[in-house]
Short mmCIF file of all heavy atoms in Angstrom, two decimals:
data_model
loop_
_atom_site.label_atom_id
_atom_site.label_comp_id
_atom_site.label_asym_id
_atom_site.label_seq_id
_atom_site.Cartn_x
_atom_site.Cartn_y
_atom_site.Cartn_z
N ILE A 1 105.15 -40.07 67.28
CA ILE A 1 106.08 -40.77 68.16
C ILE A 1 105.58 -42.20 68.33
O ILE A 1 104.41 -42.40 68.68
CB ILE A 1 106.18 -40.09 69.53
CG1 ILE A 1 106.70 -38.66 69.38
CG2 ILE A 1 107.09 -40.89 70.46
CD1 ILE A 1 106.67 -37.86 70.67
N LEU A 2 106.46 -43.16 68.08
CA LEU A 2 106.13 -44.56 68.30
C LEU A 2 106.97 -45.11 69.44
O LEU A 2 108.15 -44.80 69.54
CB LEU A 2 106.42 -45.40 67.05
CG LEU A 2 105.64 -45.05 65.79
CD1 LEU A 2 106.07 -45.96 64.65
CD2 LEU A 2 104.16 -45.15 66.01
N ARG A 3 106.35 -45.90 70.30
CA ARG A 3 107.07 -46.54 71.40
C ARG A 3 107.33 -47.99 71.03
O ARG A 3 106.43 -48.70 70.58
CB ARG A 3 106.29 -46.46 72.70
CG ARG A 3 107.00 -47.18 73.84
CD ARG A 3 106.39 -46.91 75.20
NE ARG A 3 106.74 -45.60 75.72
CZ ARG A 3 107.91 -45.29 76.28
NH1 ARG A 3 108.87 -46.18 76.37
NH2 ARG A 3 108.11 -44.08 76.75
N HIS A 4 108.59 -48.40 71.24
CA HIS A 4 109.02 -49.78 71.00
C HIS A 4 109.67 -50.22 72.32
O HIS A 4 110.89 -50.16 72.45
CB HIS A 4 110.05 -49.87 69.87
CG HIS A 4 109.73 -49.03 68.67
ND1 HIS A 4 109.05 -49.53 67.59
CD2 HIS A 4 109.98 -47.73 68.39
CE1 HIS A 4 108.92 -48.57 66.68
NE2 HIS A 4 109.47 -47.48 67.14
N GLY A 5 108.89 -50.58 73.30
CA GLY A 5 109.44 -50.90 74.62
C GLY A 5 110.07 -49.67 75.22
O GLY A 5 109.41 -48.65 75.41
N GLN A 6 111.38 -49.72 75.52
CA GLN A 6 112.05 -48.57 76.11
C GLN A 6 112.58 -47.59 75.06
O GLN A 6 113.18 -46.57 75.39
CB GLN A 6 113.17 -49.02 77.03
CG GLN A 6 114.27 -49.81 76.36
CD GLN A 6 115.32 -50.30 77.33
OE1 GLN A 6 115.52 -49.72 78.39
NE2 GLN A 6 115.99 -51.39 76.98
N TYR A 7 112.35 -47.87 73.78
CA TYR A 7 112.81 -47.01 72.70
C TYR A 7 111.64 -46.22 72.11
O TYR A 7 110.50 -46.69 72.10
CB TYR A 7 113.46 -47.83 71.58
CG TYR A 7 114.75 -48.47 72.01
CD1 TYR A 7 114.77 -49.73 72.57
CD2 TYR A 7 115.96 -47.79 71.87
CE1 TYR A 7 115.96 -50.32 72.98
CE2 TYR A 7 117.15 -48.36 72.27
CZ TYR A 7 117.15 -49.63 72.83
OH TYR A 7 118.33 -50.20 73.23
N LEU A 8 111.95 -45.02 71.62
CA LEU A 8 110.97 -44.17 70.95
C LEU A 8 111.53 -43.77 69.59
O LEU A 8 112.71 -43.45 69.48
CB LEU A 8 110.70 -42.90 71.77
CG LEU A 8 110.23 -43.10 73.19
CD1 LEU A 8 110.40 -41.82 73.98
CD2 LEU A 8 108.77 -43.52 73.18
N THR A 9 110.67 -43.78 68.56
CA THR A 9 111.06 -43.21 67.28
C THR A 9 110.13 -42.04 67.00
O THR A 9 108.93 -42.10 67.26
CB THR A 9 110.98 -44.25 66.13
OG1 THR A 9 109.71 -44.89 66.14
CG2 THR A 9 112.07 -45.29 66.25
N VAL A 10 110.73 -40.96 66.51
CA VAL A 10 109.99 -39.72 66.27
C VAL A 10 110.05 -39.42 64.78
O VAL A 10 111.13 -39.40 64.18
CB VAL A 10 110.61 -38.55 67.07
CG1 VAL A 10 109.84 -37.26 66.81
CG2 VAL A 10 110.67 -38.86 68.56
N TYR A 11 108.90 -39.22 64.18
CA TYR A 11 108.78 -38.90 62.76
C TYR A 11 108.06 -37.56 62.67
O TYR A 11 106.91 -37.45 63.10
CB TYR A 11 107.94 -39.95 62.03
CG TYR A 11 108.45 -41.36 62.23
CD1 TYR A 11 108.14 -42.08 63.38
CD2 TYR A 11 109.25 -41.97 61.27
CE1 TYR A 11 108.62 -43.37 63.57
CE2 TYR A 11 109.73 -43.26 61.45
CZ TYR A 11 109.41 -43.95 62.60
OH TYR A 11 109.87 -45.21 62.79
N SER A 12 108.74 -36.54 62.13
CA SER A 12 108.07 -35.25 61.99
C SER A 12 108.26 -34.70 60.60
O SER A 12 109.10 -35.17 59.84
CB SER A 12 108.53 -34.26 63.06
OG SER A 12 109.91 -34.05 62.98
N ASN A 13 107.46 -33.70 60.28
CA ASN A 13 107.34 -33.08 58.97
C ASN A 13 106.42 -33.92 58.07
O ASN A 13 106.62 -34.00 56.86
CB ASN A 13 108.71 -32.85 58.31
CG ASN A 13 108.67 -31.71 57.31
OD1 ASN A 13 107.87 -30.79 57.46
ND2 ASN A 13 109.50 -31.76 56.30
N LEU A 14 105.43 -34.53 58.69
CA LEU A 14 104.43 -35.31 57.94
C LEU A 14 103.21 -34.44 57.65
O LEU A 14 102.75 -33.70 58.51
CB LEU A 14 104.00 -36.54 58.74
CG LEU A 14 105.09 -37.57 59.05
CD1 LEU A 14 104.51 -38.68 59.92
CD2 LEU A 14 105.67 -38.14 57.78
N VAL A 15 102.68 -34.57 56.45
CA VAL A 15 101.46 -33.86 56.07
C VAL A 15 100.25 -34.69 56.50
O VAL A 15 99.31 -34.17 57.09
CB VAL A 15 101.41 -33.63 54.54
CG1 VAL A 15 100.10 -33.00 54.13
CG2 VAL A 15 102.57 -32.78 54.10
N ASP A 16 100.28 -35.97 56.18
CA ASP A 16 99.20 -36.88 56.55
C ASP A 16 99.79 -37.97 57.44
O ASP A 16 100.83 -38.53 57.12
CB ASP A 16 98.59 -37.55 55.31
CG ASP A 16 97.95 -36.55 54.37
OD1 ASP A 16 97.17 -35.71 54.85
OD2 ASP A 16 98.22 -36.63 53.16
N VAL A 17 99.11 -38.26 58.53
CA VAL A 17 99.52 -39.35 59.41
C VAL A 17 98.49 -40.46 59.26
O VAL A 17 97.29 -40.22 59.39
CB VAL A 17 99.62 -38.88 60.87
CG1 VAL A 17 100.00 -40.02 61.79
CG2 VAL A 17 100.64 -37.74 61.00
N LEU A 18 98.96 -41.67 58.96
CA LEU A 18 98.06 -42.77 58.65
C LEU A 18 97.83 -43.71 59.83
O LEU A 18 97.11 -44.70 59.69
CB LEU A 18 98.61 -43.57 57.46
CG LEU A 18 98.86 -42.75 56.19
CD1 LEU A 18 99.50 -43.60 55.11
CD2 LEU A 18 97.57 -42.12 55.70
N VAL A 19 98.46 -43.43 60.97
CA VAL A 19 98.28 -44.25 62.17
C VAL A 19 97.78 -43.34 63.29
O VAL A 19 97.92 -42.13 63.22
CB VAL A 19 99.58 -44.97 62.58
CG1 VAL A 19 100.00 -45.98 61.52
CG2 VAL A 19 100.71 -43.98 62.83
N LYS A 20 97.21 -43.97 64.31
CA LYS A 20 96.72 -43.18 65.44
C LYS A 20 97.12 -43.85 66.75
O LYS A 20 97.56 -45.01 66.76
CB LYS A 20 95.21 -43.00 65.37
CG LYS A 20 94.41 -44.27 65.45
CD LYS A 20 92.94 -44.00 65.25
CE LYS A 20 92.09 -45.25 65.32
NZ LYS A 20 92.55 -46.40 64.58
N LYS A 21 97.00 -43.13 67.82
CA LYS A 21 97.36 -43.64 69.14
C LYS A 21 96.65 -44.97 69.38
O LYS A 21 95.46 -45.10 69.13
CB LYS A 21 96.97 -42.62 70.22
CG LYS A 21 97.44 -43.01 71.60
CD LYS A 21 97.14 -41.93 72.60
CE LYS A 21 97.67 -42.31 73.97
NZ LYS A 21 97.53 -41.23 74.93
N GLY A 22 97.44 -45.95 69.84
CA GLY A 22 96.87 -47.26 70.13
C GLY A 22 97.02 -48.27 69.00
O GLY A 22 96.85 -49.47 69.22
N ASP A 23 97.32 -47.80 67.78
CA ASP A 23 97.51 -48.72 66.66
C ASP A 23 98.76 -49.57 66.87
O ASP A 23 99.75 -49.11 67.43
CB ASP A 23 97.67 -47.97 65.34
CG ASP A 23 96.38 -47.42 64.79
OD1 ASP A 23 95.31 -47.70 65.36
OD2 ASP A 23 96.44 -46.69 63.78
N VAL A 24 98.71 -50.80 66.41
CA VAL A 24 99.89 -51.66 66.35
C VAL A 24 100.45 -51.53 64.94
O VAL A 24 99.72 -51.71 63.97
CB VAL A 24 99.53 -53.13 66.67
CG1 VAL A 24 100.74 -54.03 66.50
CG2 VAL A 24 98.96 -53.24 68.07
N VAL A 25 101.73 -51.17 64.83
CA VAL A 25 102.33 -50.98 63.51
C VAL A 25 103.31 -52.10 63.20
O VAL A 25 103.86 -52.74 64.10
CB VAL A 25 103.02 -49.60 63.38
CG1 VAL A 25 102.02 -48.48 63.55
CG2 VAL A 25 104.15 -49.45 64.37
N SER A 26 103.52 -52.33 61.92
CA SER A 26 104.42 -53.39 61.44
C SER A 26 105.68 -52.78 60.86
O SER A 26 105.71 -51.60 60.47
CB SER A 26 103.73 -54.20 60.34
OG SER A 26 102.52 -54.73 60.81
N ILE A 27 106.72 -53.60 60.75
CA ILE A 27 107.96 -53.17 60.11
C ILE A 27 107.64 -52.76 58.67
O ILE A 27 106.87 -53.42 57.98
CB ILE A 27 108.99 -54.31 60.13
CG1 ILE A 27 109.41 -54.59 61.57
CG2 ILE A 27 110.20 -53.98 59.27
CD1 ILE A 27 110.27 -55.82 61.73
N ARG A 28 108.20 -51.65 58.25
CA ARG A 28 108.04 -51.08 56.89
C ARG A 28 106.63 -50.58 56.59
O ARG A 28 106.29 -50.30 55.45
CB ARG A 28 108.51 -52.06 55.82
CG ARG A 28 109.96 -52.46 55.96
CD ARG A 28 110.40 -53.33 54.80
NE ARG A 28 111.69 -53.93 55.04
CZ ARG A 28 112.87 -53.35 54.83
NH1 ARG A 28 112.91 -52.12 54.40
NH2 ARG A 28 113.98 -53.99 55.08
N GLN A 29 105.79 -50.47 57.60
CA GLN A 29 104.44 -49.94 57.39
C GLN A 29 104.52 -48.45 57.08
O GLN A 29 105.31 -47.71 57.68
CB GLN A 29 103.59 -50.14 58.65
CG GLN A 29 102.19 -49.59 58.52
CD GLN A 29 101.34 -49.88 59.74
OE1 GLN A 29 101.63 -50.79 60.51
NE2 GLN A 29 100.29 -49.10 59.93
N ASN A 30 103.71 -47.99 56.15
CA ASN A 30 103.63 -46.58 55.81
C ASN A 30 102.93 -45.85 56.96
O ASN A 30 101.78 -46.15 57.29
CB ASN A 30 102.87 -46.41 54.50
CG ASN A 30 102.92 -45.00 53.97
OD1 ASN A 30 103.38 -44.08 54.64
ND2 ASN A 30 102.45 -44.83 52.76
N LEU A 31 103.62 -44.88 57.57
CA LEU A 31 103.08 -44.14 58.71
C LEU A 31 102.41 -42.83 58.29
O LEU A 31 101.61 -42.29 59.02
CB LEU A 31 104.18 -43.84 59.72
CG LEU A 31 104.94 -45.05 60.25
CD1 LEU A 31 106.07 -44.59 61.15
CD2 LEU A 31 104.01 -46.01 60.96
N GLY A 32 102.79 -42.32 57.12
CA GLY A 32 102.22 -41.06 56.67
C GLY A 32 102.92 -40.57 55.41
O GLY A 32 103.75 -41.25 54.82
N ARG A 33 102.57 -39.35 55.02
CA ARG A 33 103.14 -38.72 53.83
C ARG A 33 103.98 -37.53 54.26
O ARG A 33 103.53 -36.68 55.03
CB ARG A 33 102.02 -38.27 52.89
CG ARG A 33 102.50 -37.76 51.54
CD ARG A 33 101.36 -37.59 50.55
NE ARG A 33 100.32 -36.71 51.04
CZ ARG A 33 100.26 -35.39 50.80
NH1 ARG A 33 101.18 -34.81 50.07
NH2 ARG A 33 99.26 -34.67 51.29
N ILE A 34 105.21 -37.47 53.75
CA ILE A 34 106.14 -36.40 54.11
C ILE A 34 105.80 -35.13 53.33
O ILE A 34 105.51 -35.18 52.14
CB ILE A 34 107.59 -36.83 53.82
CG1 ILE A 34 107.91 -38.15 54.54
CG2 ILE A 34 108.58 -35.75 54.24
CD1 ILE A 34 109.20 -38.79 54.08
N TYR A 35 105.89 -33.99 54.01
CA TYR A 35 105.62 -32.69 53.42
C TYR A 35 106.66 -32.37 52.34
O TYR A 35 107.85 -32.57 52.54
CB TYR A 35 105.64 -31.61 54.50
CG TYR A 35 105.56 -30.21 53.97
CD1 TYR A 35 104.37 -29.71 53.47
CD2 TYR A 35 106.67 -29.38 53.97
CE1 TYR A 35 104.29 -28.41 52.97
CE2 TYR A 35 106.60 -28.09 53.49
CZ TYR A 35 105.41 -27.62 52.99
OH TYR A 35 105.34 -26.35 52.50
N THR A 36 106.21 -31.86 51.21
CA THR A 36 107.08 -31.37 50.14
C THR A 36 106.95 -29.86 50.08
O THR A 36 105.85 -29.33 49.94
CB THR A 36 106.69 -31.98 48.78
OG1 THR A 36 106.86 -33.40 48.86
CG2 THR A 36 107.56 -31.44 47.66
N ASP A 37 108.09 -29.17 50.21
CA ASP A 37 108.10 -27.71 50.23
C ASP A 37 108.31 -27.18 48.82
O ASP A 37 109.44 -27.13 48.31
CB ASP A 37 109.21 -27.21 51.16
CG ASP A 37 109.14 -25.72 51.41
OD1 ASP A 37 108.41 -25.02 50.69
OD2 ASP A 37 109.84 -25.25 52.33
N ASP A 38 107.22 -26.79 48.16
CA ASP A 38 107.28 -26.30 46.79
C ASP A 38 108.06 -24.99 46.67
O ASP A 38 108.62 -24.70 45.62
CB ASP A 38 105.88 -26.12 46.22
CG ASP A 38 105.16 -27.44 46.07
OD1 ASP A 38 105.83 -28.47 45.80
OD2 ASP A 38 103.92 -27.47 46.23
N SER A 39 108.14 -24.22 47.76
CA SER A 39 108.87 -22.95 47.72
C SER A 39 110.37 -23.16 47.94
O SER A 39 111.15 -22.22 47.84
CB SER A 39 108.32 -21.98 48.77
OG SER A 39 108.59 -22.47 50.07
N ASP A 40 110.80 -24.40 48.23
CA ASP A 40 112.21 -24.71 48.47
C ASP A 40 112.66 -25.83 47.52
O ASP A 40 113.13 -26.88 47.96
CB ASP A 40 112.44 -25.09 49.93
CG ASP A 40 113.91 -25.20 50.30
OD1 ASP A 40 114.77 -24.74 49.52
OD2 ASP A 40 114.20 -25.75 51.38
N ASP A 41 112.49 -25.60 46.22
CA ASP A 41 112.93 -26.55 45.19
C ASP A 41 112.30 -27.93 45.36
O ASP A 41 112.93 -28.95 45.10
CB ASP A 41 114.46 -26.64 45.18
CG ASP A 41 115.02 -27.15 43.86
OD1 ASP A 41 114.35 -26.97 42.81
OD2 ASP A 41 116.11 -27.75 43.89
N SER A 42 111.07 -27.96 45.86
CA SER A 42 110.30 -29.21 46.06
C SER A 42 111.03 -30.21 46.95
O SER A 42 110.99 -31.42 46.72
CB SER A 42 109.94 -29.84 44.71
OG SER A 42 109.05 -28.99 44.02
N LYS A 43 111.70 -29.71 47.99
CA LYS A 43 112.39 -30.59 48.93
C LYS A 43 111.40 -31.36 49.78
O LYS A 43 110.41 -30.82 50.26
CB LYS A 43 113.29 -29.78 49.87
CG LYS A 43 114.65 -29.52 49.34
CD LYS A 43 115.51 -28.91 50.44
CE LYS A 43 116.87 -28.56 49.94
NZ LYS A 43 117.62 -27.81 50.95
N THR A 44 111.68 -32.63 49.97
CA THR A 44 110.90 -33.49 50.85
C THR A 44 111.85 -34.02 51.92
O THR A 44 112.80 -34.74 51.60
CB THR A 44 110.28 -34.66 50.06
OG1 THR A 44 109.47 -34.11 49.01
CG2 THR A 44 109.42 -35.53 50.94
N THR A 45 111.62 -33.62 53.17
CA THR A 45 112.55 -33.98 54.24
C THR A 45 111.80 -34.57 55.41
O THR A 45 110.88 -33.95 55.96
CB THR A 45 113.33 -32.74 54.72
OG1 THR A 45 113.98 -32.14 53.61
CG2 THR A 45 114.36 -33.10 55.77
N LEU A 46 112.18 -35.78 55.80
CA LEU A 46 111.64 -36.39 57.00
C LEU A 46 112.59 -36.10 58.15
O LEU A 46 113.80 -36.30 58.04
CB LEU A 46 111.51 -37.91 56.83
CG LEU A 46 111.09 -38.68 58.09
CD1 LEU A 46 109.64 -38.36 58.45
CD2 LEU A 46 111.28 -40.17 57.90
N LYS A 47 112.05 -35.64 59.27
CA LYS A 47 112.85 -35.45 60.48
C LYS A 47 112.62 -36.68 61.34
O LYS A 47 111.49 -36.97 61.73
CB LYS A 47 112.44 -34.16 61.18
CG LYS A 47 112.71 -32.95 60.29
CD LYS A 47 112.21 -31.68 60.90
CE LYS A 47 112.45 -30.53 59.95
NZ LYS A 47 111.88 -29.29 60.45
N PHE A 48 113.70 -37.43 61.61
CA PHE A 48 113.60 -38.72 62.27
C PHE A 48 114.57 -38.78 63.44
O PHE A 48 115.73 -38.41 63.32
CB PHE A 48 113.95 -39.82 61.24
CG PHE A 48 113.99 -41.20 61.80
CD1 PHE A 48 112.84 -41.83 62.24
CD2 PHE A 48 115.19 -41.89 61.87
CE1 PHE A 48 112.88 -43.12 62.75
CE2 PHE A 48 115.25 -43.19 62.37
CZ PHE A 48 114.08 -43.79 62.82
N GLN A 49 114.08 -39.24 64.58
CA GLN A 49 114.91 -39.37 65.78
C GLN A 49 114.64 -40.71 66.43
O GLN A 49 113.53 -41.25 66.33
CB GLN A 49 114.59 -38.28 66.79
CG GLN A 49 114.79 -36.88 66.31
CD GLN A 49 114.34 -35.86 67.34
OE1 GLN A 49 113.98 -36.18 68.47
NE2 GLN A 49 114.36 -34.60 66.95
N ILE A 50 115.66 -41.23 67.13
CA ILE A 50 115.50 -42.42 67.95
C ILE A 50 115.99 -42.08 69.36
O ILE A 50 117.05 -41.47 69.53
CB ILE A 50 116.30 -43.62 67.40
CG1 ILE A 50 115.81 -43.99 66.01
CG2 ILE A 50 116.18 -44.83 68.34
CD1 ILE A 50 116.58 -45.12 65.36
N TRP A 51 115.20 -42.46 70.34
CA TRP A 51 115.53 -42.22 71.75
C TRP A 51 115.45 -43.53 72.52
O TRP A 51 114.61 -44.37 72.24
CB TRP A 51 114.52 -41.25 72.36
CG TRP A 51 114.57 -39.86 71.80
CD1 TRP A 51 114.09 -39.46 70.59
CD2 TRP A 51 115.12 -38.72 72.41
NE1 TRP A 51 114.31 -38.12 70.41
CE2 TRP A 51 114.94 -37.64 71.53
CE3 TRP A 51 115.75 -38.50 73.64
CZ2 TRP A 51 115.37 -36.36 71.83
CZ3 TRP A 51 116.17 -37.21 73.94
CH2 TRP A 51 115.99 -36.15 73.04
N LYS A 52 116.33 -43.68 73.50
CA LYS A 52 116.20 -44.74 74.50
C LYS A 52 115.79 -44.02 75.77
O LYS A 52 116.62 -43.44 76.47
CB LYS A 52 117.50 -45.51 74.70
CG LYS A 52 117.36 -46.66 75.67
CD LYS A 52 118.62 -47.48 75.75
CE LYS A 52 118.38 -48.65 76.70
NZ LYS A 52 119.62 -49.45 76.84
N GLU A 53 114.46 -44.00 76.00
CA GLU A 53 113.84 -43.16 77.04
C GLU A 53 114.28 -41.72 76.84
O GLU A 53 113.88 -41.12 75.86
CB GLU A 53 114.11 -43.71 78.43
CG GLU A 53 113.47 -45.06 78.69
CD GLU A 53 111.95 -45.12 78.54
OE1 GLU A 53 111.27 -44.07 78.52
OE2 GLU A 53 111.42 -46.24 78.44
N SER A 54 115.14 -41.15 77.69
CA SER A 54 115.51 -39.73 77.56
C SER A 54 116.86 -39.52 76.89
O SER A 54 117.34 -38.40 76.81
CB SER A 54 115.50 -39.06 78.94
OG SER A 54 116.47 -39.68 79.77
N GLN A 55 117.48 -40.59 76.37
CA GLN A 55 118.79 -40.49 75.72
C GLN A 55 118.62 -40.55 74.20
O GLN A 55 118.16 -41.55 73.65
CB GLN A 55 119.69 -41.64 76.17
CG GLN A 55 121.03 -41.67 75.49
CD GLN A 55 121.84 -42.92 75.82
OE1 GLN A 55 121.37 -43.83 76.48
NE2 GLN A 55 123.05 -42.97 75.33
N LYS A 56 119.01 -39.46 73.54
CA LYS A 56 118.92 -39.39 72.08
C LYS A 56 120.02 -40.25 71.46
O LYS A 56 121.18 -40.18 71.88
CB LYS A 56 119.04 -37.94 71.61
CG LYS A 56 118.69 -37.73 70.17
CD LYS A 56 118.68 -36.25 69.84
CE LYS A 56 118.24 -36.03 68.42
NZ LYS A 56 118.20 -34.60 68.10
N LEU A 57 119.66 -41.07 70.47
CA LEU A 57 120.60 -41.97 69.81
C LEU A 57 120.84 -41.53 68.37
O LEU A 57 120.06 -40.77 67.80
CB LEU A 57 120.05 -43.40 69.82
CG LEU A 57 119.71 -43.98 71.20
CD1 LEU A 57 119.06 -45.35 71.05
CD2 LEU A 57 120.94 -44.05 72.08
N ASN A 58 121.90 -42.05 67.77
CA ASN A 58 122.21 -41.75 66.37
C ASN A 58 121.39 -42.67 65.47
O ASN A 58 121.63 -43.88 65.44
CB ASN A 58 123.71 -41.97 66.12
CG ASN A 58 124.11 -41.66 64.69
OD1 ASN A 58 123.27 -41.39 63.84
ND2 ASN A 58 125.39 -41.71 64.42
N PRO A 59 120.43 -42.15 64.70
CA PRO A 59 119.57 -43.01 63.88
C PRO A 59 120.32 -43.73 62.76
O PRO A 59 119.88 -44.78 62.30
CB PRO A 59 118.52 -42.05 63.31
CG PRO A 59 119.11 -40.70 63.43
CD PRO A 59 120.06 -40.74 64.59
N GLU A 60 121.47 -43.21 62.33
CA GLU A 60 122.22 -43.87 61.25
C GLU A 60 122.64 -45.28 61.65
O GLU A 60 122.78 -46.15 60.80
CB GLU A 60 123.44 -43.05 60.86
CG GLU A 60 123.09 -41.79 60.09
CD GLU A 60 124.31 -41.05 59.61
OE1 GLU A 60 125.46 -41.50 59.86
OE2 GLU A 60 124.14 -39.99 58.98
N GLU A 61 122.83 -45.51 62.94
CA GLU A 61 123.23 -46.83 63.41
C GLU A 61 122.09 -47.84 63.37
O GLU A 61 122.30 -49.03 63.55
CB GLU A 61 123.81 -46.71 64.82
CG GLU A 61 125.06 -45.86 64.88
CD GLU A 61 125.54 -45.60 66.29
OE1 GLU A 61 124.96 -46.14 67.26
OE2 GLU A 61 126.51 -44.82 66.43
N TRP A 62 120.87 -47.36 63.15
CA TRP A 62 119.69 -48.21 63.18
C TRP A 62 119.08 -48.47 61.81
O TRP A 62 118.25 -49.37 61.66
CB TRP A 62 118.62 -47.59 64.07
CG TRP A 62 119.02 -47.55 65.51
CD1 TRP A 62 119.88 -46.66 66.11
CD2 TRP A 62 118.61 -48.44 66.53
NE1 TRP A 62 120.00 -46.96 67.43
CE2 TRP A 62 119.24 -48.04 67.72
CE3 TRP A 62 117.77 -49.55 66.55
CZ2 TRP A 62 119.04 -48.71 68.92
CZ3 TRP A 62 117.57 -50.20 67.74
CH2 TRP A 62 118.21 -49.78 68.91
N LEU A 63 119.45 -47.67 60.83
CA LEU A 63 118.83 -47.76 59.51
C LEU A 63 119.42 -48.88 58.68
O LEU A 63 120.64 -49.09 58.67
CB LEU A 63 118.97 -46.43 58.76
CG LEU A 63 118.29 -45.25 59.43
CD1 LEU A 63 118.60 -43.97 58.66
CD2 LEU A 63 116.80 -45.45 59.54
N VAL A 64 118.58 -49.58 57.94
CA VAL A 64 119.03 -50.63 57.03
C VAL A 64 119.61 -49.98 55.79
O VAL A 64 119.01 -49.07 55.22
CB VAL A 64 117.83 -51.56 56.64
CG1 VAL A 64 118.28 -52.58 55.62
CG2 VAL A 64 117.24 -52.20 57.87
N ARG A 65 120.76 -50.42 55.40
CA ARG A 65 121.42 -49.83 54.20
C ARG A 65 121.06 -50.63 52.98
O ARG A 65 120.80 -51.74 52.96
CB ARG A 65 122.92 -49.81 54.39
CG ARG A 65 123.29 -48.92 55.55
CD ARG A 65 124.75 -48.48 55.45
NE ARG A 65 125.10 -47.73 56.63
CZ ARG A 65 124.95 -46.41 56.74
NH1 ARG A 65 124.49 -45.71 55.75
NH2 ARG A 65 125.30 -45.79 57.83
#
């Protein structure tokens, strides 16, 4: 979970996390490696959420196309 002022971004299904509590992160910085499920046709799925404090937001509105 990363805090951006009143916003939070949640990244789950990571195998390796490359940042730790207290780190300052940059835009497009690699945060970790996503798990690949070899038993499910080698699917790699990142679970990503954006929150404004306790209100869940639609992440599609925030992603660069």
